[in-house]
Amino acid sequence: LLTPRIYSLLSALKLDLLAIDEAHCISEWGHDFRPEYRQLVDVRRKFPSAVCMALTATATPRVRADIAASLGFTQSNEFLASFNRDNLFIEVAPKREPIAQTLRFLENFKDQSGIIYCFSRKQVDELAATLARHKYSVRPYHAGLEDSDRRRNQEAFIRDDAQIIVATIAFGMGINKPNVRFVIHFDLPKSIESYYQEIGRAGRDGLPAHCLLLYSYGDASKIRYFIDQKEEPERSASYQHLDAMTRYAEGNICRRKPLLSYFGETFAQENCGTCDNCNSEPADQQDITVAVQKLLSCVKRSGERFGAAHVVDILLGSKNEKIEKYRHHELSTYGIGRELTKSQWMHLSRQLVERGLLNQEPTYRVLSVTDKGLEMLKSREQILGQINEAKKSERASARIKSSLDSEYDRSLFALLRNRRKELADESGIPPYVIFSDKTLVEMAMYFPQGRESLLNISGVGKVKFERYGMAFLEIIKEYCRSNKIDEKFKAPAREKDDAGRRYMTVGDAYNSGESVQSLMK
């Protein structure tokens, strides 16, 4: 775009609009800052009469302000949609046996489309091979593959020839496959923006989908190592992104509250009903006063210069090189915490940061005792809390699956899906272009057996009915005849929806084949 040749080409035309997608790349505070994007303001100056539009799905208030300033917006309108996706079940689980955890999770999503994100190319290849050995329809995707292999694997996923893609973050830009039923983060994302963007690829058809993040403190340390290699100011921004991500993963309140708050939105509900924390069994409160005193004292006696992992090593009496280097085996707190495990101490340290008894410096995660913590040490007041993490509901995946099962006939859905795949292959297009999963689910829920009742199904317009309607009606009629099933009544969609939802009706009609002219009548 910045080359003289393109400038010359555009100068010969009347340029009405400059549209910038993935606009968060403009901001150095964005999760995917690219210096070249800063130069787009030069294009604006060259074409001052053109309207400029910047779009992004993942921008904090700070990033949005930076985008406007960088593009030289003196007058602008900001249109902000909600960041909440209420059909996504959000879960963060301690990463203990990741392969076994992934296989258990996938048992609830047989023959369903999903994406698994990994940190490295090597991890992608190993996990894809493991899943293939367990008879899953899976393909790898990362920048180390040949372009032709990447294209082939992505195409197989889009066309439902492969159900699962195991990928690095190289996968996903421009993917709009609506029937992704799950997204697994096998490793920790580098930022909340990346995490939100990646889970946002699930459930775009509006049906329930499940997003699982496997979290370990070791993954955060691994990312921190790579951040250390960066130059300023990118390093500081990356540390802030990672710190926000780890706070989110370690939190015990409704997942939507911090997630939406990060993007400047308030989530008012007390219980969202669709995250692990809101579905957890209440943790037993117990007297943790002595453990808290030990931890605070150890932070203080080690000079308030170290992160939680090292402080916990002192409490456990570890004999590693770092302990001996700083002579921390000579401290009075050395080895006084062997009654708890490392994970229990780490969980306790996170609670004390949340309660304001400890401060955690964002860049290197160094702990220090706050004034509130010092007061607690002096007063020896009783503190109640949890030594063990709250038990998360392991029935979440099964619950999503069963809620879908109860609403529609899965056998009919499978027949309709097979027919959709045949028609898609004949036309050389992805199956969802014919009908979305949501449309097939409604067919398998209401059993329409005539033209008008099929046209009443969401996503079936006149053009699509003419093109595909009879093929699907034949299957539904035969299935209902064989199984003695009657058609169910579905209330017709209102001609004029309420003003706030009218755009959905128009959008669905247009995607179903209606022309702009017919929609204006």
Side-chain angles (χ1 to χ4, degrees), residues 199-328:
I199 65 173
R201 287 165 190 145
R204 290 188 174 184
D205 55 8
L207 297 176
H210 195 128
C211 305
L212 171 67
L213 165 62
L214 299 177
Y215 173 71
S216 76
Y217 190 78
D219 281 351
S221 300
K222 185 165 56 179
I223 296 172
R224 206 165 281 117
Y225 170 80
F226 286 101
I227 293 175
D228 285 340
Q229 321 304 314
K230 297 182 177 183
E231 300 292 331
E232 293 293 356
E234 189 183 358
R235 181 163 57 188
S236 293
S238 297
Y239 275 130
Q240 289 181 36
H241 286 139
L242 179 60
D243 189 51
M245 187 70 232
T246 52
R247 282 201 311 272
Y248 166 79
E250 294 169 357
N252 56 12
I253 62 172
C254 171
R255 295 286 175 201
R256 282 173 168 77
K257 287 182 184 293
L259 191 59
L260 299 186
S261 173
Y262 185 81
F263 293 108
E265 183 177 345
T266 301
F267 186 72
Q269 286 177 231
E270 197 56 42
N271 186 314
C272 74
T274 49
C275 81
D276 57 339
N277 285 338
C278 287
N279 282 271
S280 295
E281 298 171 14
D284 293 330
Q285 297 282 311
Q286 58 193 101
D287 188 340
I288 59 172
T289 310
V290 173
V292 170
Q293 289 170 342
K294 288 180 179 181
L295 184 54
L296 295 178
S297 296
C298 194
V299 170
K300 202 73 182 165
R301 291 179 186 278
S302 59
E304 299 179 299
R305 296 169 49 215
F306 301 91
H310 182 72
V311 173
V312 170
D313 281 345
I314 298 172
L315 289 167
L316 293 174
S318 299
K319 297 178 180 179
N320 61 43
E321 187 179 331
K322 193 173 178 181
I323 294 280
E324 294 185 5
K325 176 184 175 182
Y326 291 100
R327 303 177 70 87
H328 286 163

